[in-house]
Amino acid sequence: MRVMGQPAQHTDETARMLAAAGIAVTPEGKARARARLDAAAEKFDDEQRVALRRVGTAAA
Amino acid sequence: MRDTDVRLVLDESAIAAYLFGSIGVGETIAEVLDEGRRYGISVAVLAQVVAAADKVGRDLVRLLSGNARCAVLDVLAGDTDRLAEWTRRLGSLGRAASVVAALDRSAGYLLTAEPDRYGELNDTGLIIAV
């Protein structure tokens, strides 16, 4: 699926990179991405990150 | 060297989704770049993708990995035991290298089109599915 609309703000190089794959980013799409990133940050705290960094180490 | 400004690590499935025009991958990359951050790809993943791609795919992967805001992330000898354990758990060196790369960056997250392949990790916020 391709979403047409006003391009979001990013560099020409990035716009070319996305356009080459047929991707057009809209403000609505960026809002969806923002929500994904914020949800991830809310769900994954530093304690979890530190614990998972120990996997496979002598400290595990 | 650790690229501390890398916010998003793309796994093999996220790169494949980009090749097929995934809006979810494109908008997430664009949002991270507009934050002033970068995205990254483990060299282990990049090698797998390039090996499997045809010429058109390789050209697109070069655009993706050659972007000034993309960091191609080294696999470090000192991480061998961690990579081995994650490879055992996840069944793929590429997924293991992506996980380690995302975990080692203070605000790093892993972008994937195959979240179910990450088992228990898929229940954490480390994994962002598109």
Side-chain angles (χ1 to χ4, degrees):
Chain A
M1 187 181 99
R2 306 286 188 272
V3 174
M4 304 303 290
Q6 183 184 355
Q9 177 192 353
H10 42 69
T11 66
D12 288 347
E13 182 187 15
T14 301
R16 279 197 301 276
M17 176 191 89
L18 296 176
I23 300 170
V25 177
T26 64
E28 293 77 16
K30 288 186 79 266
R32 281 193 298 271
R34 177 81 267 141
R36 275 189 215 112
L37 290 163
D38 289 349
E42 195 168 312
K43 198 172 173 185
F44 194 61
D45 60 29
D46 288 345
E47 197 174 320
Q48 286 175 294
R49 187 179 295 277
V50 168
L52 287 170
R53 279 179 183 160
R54 292 195 196 106
V55 169
T57 70
Chain B
M1 185 183 94
R2 296 289 189 194
D3 297 272
T4 53
D5 57 349
V6 170
R7 171 96 147 126
L8 204 60
V9 175
L10 277 60
D11 78 353
E12 191 173 350
S13 70
I15 297 171
Y18 159 76
L19 298 182
F20 284 97
S22 165
I23 297 294
V25 171
E27 63 198 18
T28 309
I29 288 174
E31 182 62 14
V32 164
L33 298 188
D34 282 354
E35 280 183 335
R37 308 289 292 270
R38 304 167 75 194
Y39 62 96
I41 302 170
S42 167
V43 69
V45 169
L46 190 57
Q48 284 179 314
V49 171
V50 170
D54 60 12
K55 183 181 183 314
V56 173
R58 284 195 299 274
D59 288 347
L60 284 171
V61 171
R62 281 195 191 95
L63 277 176
L64 185 70
S65 62
N67 188 296
R69 308 283 293 282
C70 177
V72 176
L73 307 168
D74 290 337
V75 173
L76 303 178
D79 286 335
T80 300
D81 290 344
R82 298 172 70 204
L83 289 163
E85 178 59 23
W86 282 114
T87 299
R88 188 185 68 74
R89 293 186 185 199
L90 303 176
S92 152
L93 175 60
R95 283 192 286 278
S98 299
V99 165
V100 168
L103 285 173
D104 284 357
R105 284 152 184 93
S106 59
Y109 297 90
L110 193 158
L111 190 70
T112 182
E114 296 180 332
D116 291 346
R117 298 215 178 220
Y118 288 89
E120 66 198 71
L121 283 181
N122 191 27
D123 296 329
T124 72
L126 180 69
I127 306 298
I128 298 177
V130 289

